[in-house]
Amino acid sequence: MDLVPALEEPLKKVLGPATAKVMAEHLGLHTVGDLLHHYPRRYEERGQLTHLADLPMDEHVTVVAQVADARLHTFASAKAPRGKGQRLEVTITDGSGRLQLVFFGAGVHKPHKELLPGTRAMFAGKVSVFNRRVQLAHPAYELLRGDAEETVETWAGALIPIYPATAKLESWKIGKALQTVLPSAQEAVDPLPESLRAGRGLVGLPEALLKIHRPHTKADVEDARARLKWDEAFVLQVALARRRHADAQLPAVARRPKPDGLLTAFDDRLPFTLTEGQRKVSAEIFTDLATEHPMHRLLQGEVGSGKTMVALRAMLAVVDAGGQAAMLAPTEVLAQQHHRSVTEMMGELAEGGMLGGAETATKVVLLTGSMGAAARRHALLDLATGEAGLVIGTHALIEDKVKFHDLGLVVVDEQHRFGVEQRDALRGKGKQPPHLLVMTATPIPRTVAMTVFGDLETSVLDQLPAGRSPIASHVVPAADKPHFLARAWERVREEVEGGHQAYVVCPRIGDEEDDPKKAGRKKSPEDEAERRPPLAVLDIAEQLAAGPLRGLRVEVLHGRMQPDDKDAVMRRFAAGEVDVLVATTVIEVGVNVPNATAMVIMDADRFGVSQLHQLRGRVGRGSAPGLCLLVTEMPEASAARQRLTAVASTLDGFELSRIDLEQRREGDVLGQAQSGTRSSLRMLAVIDDEEIIAEAREEAAGIVAADPELTGLPGLRTALEALLDEEREQYLEKG
């Protein structure tokens, strides 16, 4: 293996133990190579030289001037009550005017020694006013000695890299450390095959690293970025292409439905015809199921586009072929609901082994954590003997006790609720790897990232079944316009008087005990205003029943209720015995009550874009139009309010997922983090760089097909090893 010794060098050898420790703990940087790949977030321009006589306010300037005098003052402050606070005031002049520089605290020592009267230097900082005097606080400076003219021009015109930093390590210290390791960039082994690099006119890796950290011009930065984006896209695509290649080698049992079996019988009894989209996606899935390596397919569909129907037909096809199929749902409410709707749709086809069951029938069992011991034992036995062809359940399906006779297909509903570990545990229950179908109604950022990165084969359902109604969505600014909120409750009453029902969704239940640790913390008034506790189901239900919705039948539903109570409330609501259901997000996915036409989401700014889209999909499921009101107290200019406006303006889940992704970043595309925090992408932005990603995918597929082990590309292998530490390697393995 060609290791790159210079880049493998631990930072503590090069920078000393103290700096290396901070870099490791706070920035996750351990080697010279890690530091070279810690790219600047942006670049400051010191600004062209400015005369002191015409300094622009609030701008970054660079001035060349002479120190006229320097005085050290001591003062008392909250931090230094005994008069031990120190402030250094330095007056500089360039002949056109005078300017005061101020340094505080520990920052006074170095300038106090260096900025002596008569010293010439360059000063760069932001112009501000204090006590009606113009000043620069804590400016950067460089002393000028000897032939200064040339230095002045280059220093003032240079681009200063600003690095992602921490309180323990400022950007300029990171810049200094990079200055030390930059010569090692010459030894960086290039992961891109020479033909690809030349063909796309990209600079070499050593040159790109020099240009990103020490650019002379903006064109240098562009060159470097173009090159480093390609590295990220390409190495990642090779990782995914190798995984697809390895998956294609795995054995799986081909599952082909019998000509006149369960699937045919089910299709014959459907009271409606499938949409064109459902037929097309089903055909793609059946083709995958008929192959002898595991299907890995992502089914993305709008809320209410009939994904469950497509998944059920795939499950029936597998049962037809002698296997079993499992559907994993994120909540008990949803698992029960799926079980109920599947058995209703199947009728006597779900009564396998029972009197009155059709001859092709199978058994459909439910498995959740709160089932009684006897019912649970029964379900487990049906799975182990193969009596039950279909099982629908929650995380309870993953437990060790659960054994299948012959698991052929795993359907995961609402993929973003399940970790990879859980999907993997269920897939491990097949004698050979089962086929996998992942469903999601809102492509959330990581899924979009994965889709753009093309790791799962993707099917899209984008047409709604006939009879679905449009949903009108509006933002209700409760703080700016309280009368809008009053009107919202009138609208709910009108819907109920018209024979319909409504949901009111709140972010919190309301019976939580306050955390004493949090209660003790001091908060600023702004903080108090912005972060009052989210509105709670129990409080709002009480206020509505006693106030604007007096006389209507109002009930509550939340996750801490007993499973039987939850089920009873849902049944009453579905039967029309409840007018308004005040709930938490337990109703977010899969709940289907066609008569519910209105939804009011309280504190809507506390929910994510995909969650709001999911919630809204619970109304407009029948022939009457739906109405969704997003209530918020956030001011008009805030990002939260813009997010809500975006949700109100489109019903297109794919469009919303792009907005979500642009706002939240893609998360670590290969790792556990769902979004925002730790992105393995330093240069690449999934939405902006879709073209690069698509091109890199093609290049990667060609290279992996020709040389799966990458024997001819040692640089690429090294880069892959760096990208795929062990945790991520396993993560990829698990899919």
Side-chain angles (χ1 to χ4, degrees):
M1 186 71 251
D2 292 24
L3 283 181
V4 186
L7 300 196
E8 295 292 324
E9 190 84 45
L11 286 173
K12 62 170 175 276
K13 279 195 179 165
V14 189
L15 304 175
T19 309
K21 185 169 184 251
V22 177
M23 285 196 170
E25 283 174 10
H26 295 273
L27 297 168
L29 308 175
H30 303 278
T31 64
V32 168
D34 291 346
L35 181 54
L36 285 173
H37 288 293
H38 185 72
Y39 306 134
R41 182 189 293 132
R42 58 190 172 84
Y43 299 87
E44 278 289 354
E45 292 184 70
R46 285 204 175 93
Q48 292 315 302
L49 296 178
T50 314
H51 288 300
L52 294 186
D54 35 47
L55 288 175
M57 285 313 303
D58 279 341
E59 284 192 22
H60 284 274
V61 297
T62 302
V63 297
V64 172
Q66 194 162 11
V67 177
D69 74 14
R71 292 178 193 187
L72 191 61
H73 303 272
T74 52
F75 60 93
S77 71
K79 281 188 182 166
R82 293 199 197 88
K84 294 270 176 66
Q86 292 194 309
R87 181 173 79 243
L88 176 67
E89 290 177 1
V90 178
T91 308
I92 58 172
T93 173
D94 67 351
S96 74
R98 293 166 85 81
L99 175 67
Q100 186 161 327
L101 316 177
V102 193
F103 301 87
F104 290 101
V108 304
H109 306 307
K110 186 166 174 270
H112 189 220
K113 283 207 295 263
E114 294 183 338
L115 298 179
L116 304 171
T119 309
R120 264 189 96 225
M122 281 182 287
F123 303 92
K126 190 174 180 182
V127 183
S128 58
V129 171
F130 182 70
N131 278 347
R132 299 198 191 148
R133 291 172 70 184
V134 178
Q135 66 170 32
L136 296 183
H138 282 285
Y141 63 85
E142 181 118 328
L143 303 177
L144 294 175
R145 301 183 179 89
D147 177 20
E149 286 321 303
E150 195 178 329
T151 325
V152 171
E153 283 311 313
T154 53
W155 197 79
L159 294 169
I160 307 165
I162 305 296
Y163 290 94
T166 77
K168 294 264 191 311
L169 201 64
E170 301 94 334
S171 168
W172 64 269
K173 284 189 181 155
I174 297 171
K176 275 226 156 85
L178 266 151
Q179 198 66 43
T180 311
V181 302
L182 208 50
S184 309
Q186 292 305 336
E187 300 191 34
V189 175
D190 206 317
L192 293 191
E194 180 53 41
S195 55
L196 188 158
R197 217 187 67 204
R200 297 191 175 271
L202 300 168
V203 301
L205 182 57
E207 186 182 339
L209 290 171
L210 287 172
K211 283 184 166 174
I212 200 80
H213 292 298
R214 289 289 167 271
H216 294 300
T217 62
K218 288 181 178 164
D220 283 353
V221 177
E222 288 314 304
D223 282 355
R225 281 196 169 142
R227 161 61 215 243
L228 295 167
K229 278 181 177 186
W230 252 95
D231 275 19
E232 279 179 14
F234 179 69
V235 174
L236 193 49
Q237 286 300 349
V238 168
L240 295 172
R242 288 181 77 189
R243 171 165 150 204
R244 282 196 303 274
H245 181 82
D247 280 343
Q249 317 303 312
L250 284 176
V253 180
R255 310 279 179 176
R256 296 180 185 86
K258 288 203 281 273
D260 285 316
L262 183 55
L263 181 61
T264 311
F266 175 75
D267 284 349
D268 288 346
R269 54 168 290 136
L270 280 180
F272 51 81
T273 54
L274 296 174
T275 64
E276 180 59 38
Q278 285 173 319
R279 282 203 294 276
K280 180 176 127 291
V281 169
S282 289
E284 291 171 353
I285 292 172
F286 290 155
T287 306
D288 281 0
L289 290 174
T291 58
E292 292 183 349
H293 56 81
M295 161 170 87
H296 274 178
R297 190 166 280 281
L298 174 68
L299 173 54
Q300 295 185 330
E302 272 305 347
V303 178
S305 59
K307 291 182 302 296
T308 313
M309 173 59 70
V310 169
L312 177 56
R313 293 184 72 242
M315 291 167 82
L316 295 175
V318 169
V319 175
D320 248 355
Q324 291 168 293
M327 180 185 272
L328 192 55
T331 64
E332 293 210 348
V333 168
L334 189 54
Q336 285 162 342
Q337 183 133 1
H338 274 324
H339 182 254
R340 201 176 306 138
S341 60
V342 164
T343 44
E344 277 168 17
M345 283 195 284
M346 287 175 67
E348 74 270 15
L349 297 176
E351 295 170 1
M354 290 185 256
L355 279 174
E359 106 192 55
T360 49
T362 185
K363 220 180 213 181
V364 182
V365 301
L366 175 68
L367 191 63
T368 64
S370 66
M371 280 167 76
R376 193 180 168 77
R377 241 192 339 270
H378 215 94
L380 290 173
L381 190 64
D382 284 345
L383 287 181
T385 58
E387 188 86 0
L390 300 184
V391 56
I392 294 165
T394 53
H395 289 79
L397 279 176
I398 294 168
E399 290 167 13
D400 291 345
K401 293 193 200 76
V402 182
K403 299 274 183 281
F404 287 87
H405 177 64
D406 178 15
L407 180 60
L409 170 67
V410 174
V411 176
V412 179
D413 192 14
E414 286 315 316
Q415 180 255 348
H416 61 277
R417 298 293 195 84
F418 289 101
V420 170
E421 270 65 29
Q422 291 139 326
R423 293 206 317 250
D424 189 48
L426 190 52
R427 275 168 58 188
K429 293 187 176 293
K431 296 190 174 88
Q432 286 192 317
H435 298 283
L436 174 70
L437 179 66
V438 171
M439 299 198 295
T440 177
T442 30
I444 50 142
R446 210 184 125 256
T447 315
V448 175
M450 283 300 221
T451 309
V452 177
F453 286 129
D455 148 50
L456 297 164
E457 295 302 325
T458 306
S459 295
V460 178
L461 269 179
D462 47 13
Q463 100 199 91
L464 293 185
R468 276 299 166 83
S469 304
I471 305 169
S473 308
H474 303 284
V475 177
V476 177
D480 317 350
K481 300 180 177 162
H483 58 286
F484 275 37
L485 184 57
R487 176 74 188 113
W489 300 127
E490 283 171 23
R491 282 291 289 116
V492 168
R493 201 175 262 288
E494 287 163 16
E495 289 294 316
V496 173
E497 282 163 5
H500 297 297
Q501 293 157 280
Y503 298 100
V504 176
V505 182
C506 305
R508 200 164 62 96
I509 296 173
D511 58 359
E512 302 88 345
E513 285 182 25
D514 281 337
D515 181 345
K517 280 189 209 147
K518 286 184 186 163
R521 282 188 209 141
K522 276 257 186 269
K523 290 197 179 113
S524 71
E526 295 85 20
D527 216 22
E528 286 289 352
E530 186 162 31
R531 301 317 292 171
R532 63 161 170 69
L535 295 171
V537 165
L538 301 176
D539 306 343
I540 292 286
E542 209 172 288
Q543 289 166 23
L544 291 176
L549 303 184
R550 198 171 33 255
L552 302 187
R553 296 168 297 176
V554 177
E555 291 211 22
V556 299
L557 178 71
H558 58 73
R560 243 181 266 141
M561 289 163 63
Q562 289 302 315
D564 293 351
D565 297 345
K566 278 194 277 200
D567 205 35
V569 171
M570 271 318 296
R571 280 174 192 271
R572 285 202 296 280
F573 188 63
E577 295 160 21
V578 174
D579 297 321
V580 178
L581 186 61
V582 183
T584 56
T585 54
V586 290
I587 61 152
E588 180 186 343
V589 281
V591 171
N592 186 21
V593 179
N595 192 43
T597 52
M599 175 177 285
V600 180
I601 303 179
M602 306 303 291
D603 276 347
D605 48 90
R606 311 273 177 135
F607 298 98
V609 169
S610 59
Q611 226 178 359
L612 291 168
H613 184 57
Q614 279 286 6
L615 286 165
R616 168 171 66 183
R618 302 304 110 216
V619 295
R621 300 179 80 85
S623 51
L627 172 69
C628 177
L629 302 174
L630 307 167
V631 179
T632 178
E633 291 184 0
M634 282 301 182
E636 198 164 351
S638 63
R641 205 37 196 278
Q642 287 161 5
R643 205 169 63 230
L644 295 181
T645 307
V647 173
S649 67
T650 176
L651 290 172
D652 180 340
F654 288 89
E655 184 50 38
L656 287 174
S657 76
R658 291 178 77 92
I659 293 168
D660 203 8
L661 181 55
E662 280 165 354
Q663 289 191 345
R664 287 168 41 183
R665 298 270 297 129
E666 33 285 318
D668 188 336
V669 178
L670 296 180
Q672 310 287 14
Q674 274 286 32
S675 88
T677 42
R678 165 175 157 251
S679 179
S680 57
L681 304 179
R682 297 187 177 96
M683 277 288 162
L684 213 53
V686 167
I687 289 291
D688 301 339
D689 298 320
E690 266 177 296
E691 280 176 28
I692 294 181
I693 292 162
E695 288 171 21
R697 184 181 180 187
E698 273 178 39
E699 295 271 9
I703 279 168
V704 170
D707 177 9
E709 292 306 309
L710 309 177
T711 38
L713 297 164
L716 180 54
R717 283 219 311 269
T718 306
L720 267 181
E721 281 165 18
L723 176 76
L724 302 177
D725 52 31
E726 238 165 83
E727 176 197 345
R728 288 192 186 146
E729 184 73 87
Q730 286 167 0
Y731 187 95
L732 272 182
E733 293 292 303
K734 290 173 181 174

